[in-house]
């Protein structure tokens, strides 16, 4: 079984991008450790899992990482007066969509060579997905810390199959951000502490999705600009996205109407029953009901008449 055949099969099962890397630790281990030492992971303790820095510990005997990507861009746009939900959450849960394709590709691998050992992940294990995808030649990690591709920008879900086959690897992707700093200057909370380094403590996406506290920090709440589920600002301003975004071929990623332009008021008052119905099969279930209400209420508070921060 060779790399070319695997790549062809990956495209046939529905992935838009594929590359292969040798399962050897590199400079990304040091970068991750430095990031952790700065405390930029906030409350995301799982980022400190030692297996994230040593893929051999995650799967002993692994020789190659098959890195996969699936474009999720759709041409709809946010409305300034409505609640804003990150593009990744507009359609069906990407975990479900990519896992279905991963199972097909993994099954094909075992049909070709039944004795091989594999493991696959889609944002479900201690794998530094962007670092591996960069090493596998799919794209490069931009200054906003998202993976950017030359053909469709950064609107890409990532997955990988770990395998004990010694496959021909691709060359790491070169860096093409150049002198551009649009993402740094556009972030309203200064979450991009320096090029390529994001401080989750100051990130709107982190706080609207992962922060379980009853209230948002004031510096976040006053800069939400109607974001209630994630934040796409740094990606929206990226020239690579503005020039090269391509509409996804995956129907499941097209927006559900109720997730595209909801009002802040309806989300601030959403009931448990409405939450369950609205977000069935959605990655937005990562945001629990109290946190979604909190986010919308915080955004409404800034827009309230008489608020000098409006």
């Amino acid at each position: 079984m060779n790399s070319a055949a695997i790549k062809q099969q990956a495209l046939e099962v529905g992935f838009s991008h594929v590359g292969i890397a040798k399962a050897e630790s590199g400079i990304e281990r040091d970068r991750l450790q430095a990031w952790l030492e700065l405390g930029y992971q906030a409350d995301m303790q799982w980022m400190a899992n030692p297996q994230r820095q040593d893929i051999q510990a995650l799967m002993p005997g692994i020789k190659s990482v098959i890195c996969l990507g699936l474009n999720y861009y759709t041409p709809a746009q946010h409305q300034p007066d409505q609640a804003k939900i990150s593009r990744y959450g507009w359609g069906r849960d990407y975990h479900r969509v990519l896992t279905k394709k991963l199972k097909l590709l993994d099954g094909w691998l075992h049909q070709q060579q039944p004795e091989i050992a594999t493991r696959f992940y889609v944002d479900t294990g201690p794998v530094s997905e962007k670092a591996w995808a960069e090493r596998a030649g799919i794209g490069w990690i931009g200054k906003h810390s998202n993976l950017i591709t030359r053909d469709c920008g950064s609107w890409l879900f990532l997955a990988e199959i770990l395998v004990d086959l010694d496959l021909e690897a691709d060359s790491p992707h070169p860096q093409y951000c150049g002198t551009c700093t649009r993402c740094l200057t556009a972030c309203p909370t200064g979450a991009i502490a320096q090029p390529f380094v994001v401080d989750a403590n100051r990130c709107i996406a982190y706080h609207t999705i992962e922060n379980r506290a009853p209230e948002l920090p004031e510096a976040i709440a006053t800069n939400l600009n109607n974001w209630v589920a994630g934040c796409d600002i740094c990606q929206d301003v990226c020239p690579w996205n503005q020039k090269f975004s391509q509409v996804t071929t995956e129907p499941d990623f097209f927006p559900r109407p109720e997730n595209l332009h909801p009002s802040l008021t309806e989300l601030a008052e959403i009931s448990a029953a409405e939450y369950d119905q609205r977000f069935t099969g959605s990655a937005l279930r990562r945001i629990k009901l109290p946190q979604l209400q909190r986010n919308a209420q915080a955004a409404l508070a800034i827009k309230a008449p008489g608020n000098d921060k409006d």
Side-chain angles (χ1 to χ4, degrees):
M1 185 163 36
N2 60 51
S3 295
I6 292 172
K7 291 178 181 179
Q8 181 60 38
Q9 187 63 25
L11 297 175
E12 289 183 8
V13 303
F15 288 103
S16 59
H17 295 74
V18 56
I20 296 173
K22 294 291 185 184
E24 302 167 346
S25 296
I27 193 172
E28 66 276 356
R29 171 191 284 187
D30 297 332
R31 289 175 176 169
L32 175 57
Q33 185 58 40
W35 183 77
L36 292 169
E37 290 174 357
L38 289 168
Y40 285 172
Q41 75 275 27
D43 288 334
M44 296 183 290
Q45 300 303 321
W46 59 88
M47 293 299 296
N49 187 328
Q51 292 178 327
R52 194 178 295 275
Q53 297 185 43
D54 182 7
I55 204 162
Q56 296 290 337
L58 179 60
M59 179 182 166
I62 178 178
K63 295 182 180 178
S64 302
V65 181
I66 304 170
C67 297
L68 304 148
L70 184 54
N71 172 28
Y72 68 90
Y73 179 79
T74 56
Q77 300 296 321
H78 292 100
Q79 297 299 315
D81 295 329
Q82 302 297 313
K84 296 178 183 176
I85 292 174
S86 181
R87 288 178 184 276
Y88 89 89
W90 281 353
R92 183 170 172 79
D93 187 348
Y94 67 93
H95 298 93
R96 300 188 182 195
V97 177
L98 269 70
T99 296
K100 183 177 180 180
K101 299 180 189 303
L102 281 168
K103 288 180 177 179
L104 290 173
L105 182 56
D106 186 67
W108 179 86
L109 289 170
H110 284 273
Q111 287 178 351
Q112 308 307 305
Q113 207 158 322
E115 72 278 7
I116 63 171
T118 61
R119 290 186 187 178
F120 58 77
Y121 300 92
V122 49
D123 193 24
T124 51
V127 180
S128 296
E129 295 185 312
K130 291 178 287 188
W132 284 107
E134 182 178 61
R135 192 192 294 192
I138 290 179
W140 72 96
I141 298 175
K143 293 180 182 178
H144 47 29
S145 85
N146 296 294
L147 189 84
I148 304 175
T149 66
R150 296 184 69 178
D151 56 350
C152 69
S154 63
W155 309 111
L156 204 69
F157 291 130
L158 300 176
E160 47 283 324
I161 297 180
L162 282 52
V163 61
D164 62 351
L165 290 175
D166 190 9
L167 300 171
E168 180 182 357
D170 294 286
S171 299
H173 202 292
Q175 222 283 341
Y176 286 118
C177 283
T179 59
C180 179
T181 57
R182 291 188 190 182
C183 57
L184 280 80
T185 56
C187 180
T189 57
I192 307 176
Q194 63 187 68
F196 313 106
V197 181
V198 171
D199 180 359
N201 298 286
R202 291 184 276 172
C203 179
I204 291 172
Y206 163 76
H207 282 286
T208 56
I209 299 171
E210 301 293 344
N211 184 349
R212 299 291 186 254
E215 295 184 3
L216 294 171
E218 183 178 2
I220 299 299
T222 55
N223 284 289
L224 284 175
N225 192 28
N226 292 1
W227 288 101
V228 298
C231 176
D232 289 339
I233 293 174
C234 63
Q235 298 193 83
D236 285 336
V237 301
C238 177
W240 286 96
N241 282 338
Q242 293 178 348
K243 296 178 182 179
F244 300 107
S245 294
Q246 300 289 329
V247 177
T248 182
T249 59
E250 177 52 61
D252 279 336
F253 292 153
F254 279 79
R256 296 176 176 180
E258 65 272 19
N259 289 343
L260 192 54
H261 302 136
S263 73
L264 289 170
T265 301
E266 66 179 288
L267 295 184
E269 301 173 353
I270 191 170
S271 68
E274 290 171 326
Y275 171 90
D276 284 338
Q277 180 179 23
R278 187 172 198 145
F279 300 119
T280 296
S282 168
L284 295 176
R285 292 190 72 88
R286 177 74 178 179
I287 307 171
K288 304 308 178 187
L289 174 60
Q291 281 71 55
L292 182 62
Q293 294 170 328
R294 174 203 64 191
N295 299 343
Q297 290 165 6
L300 280 170
I302 298 303
K303 294 169 68 68
N307 191 322
D308 59 8
K309 297 174 182 175
D310 190 13

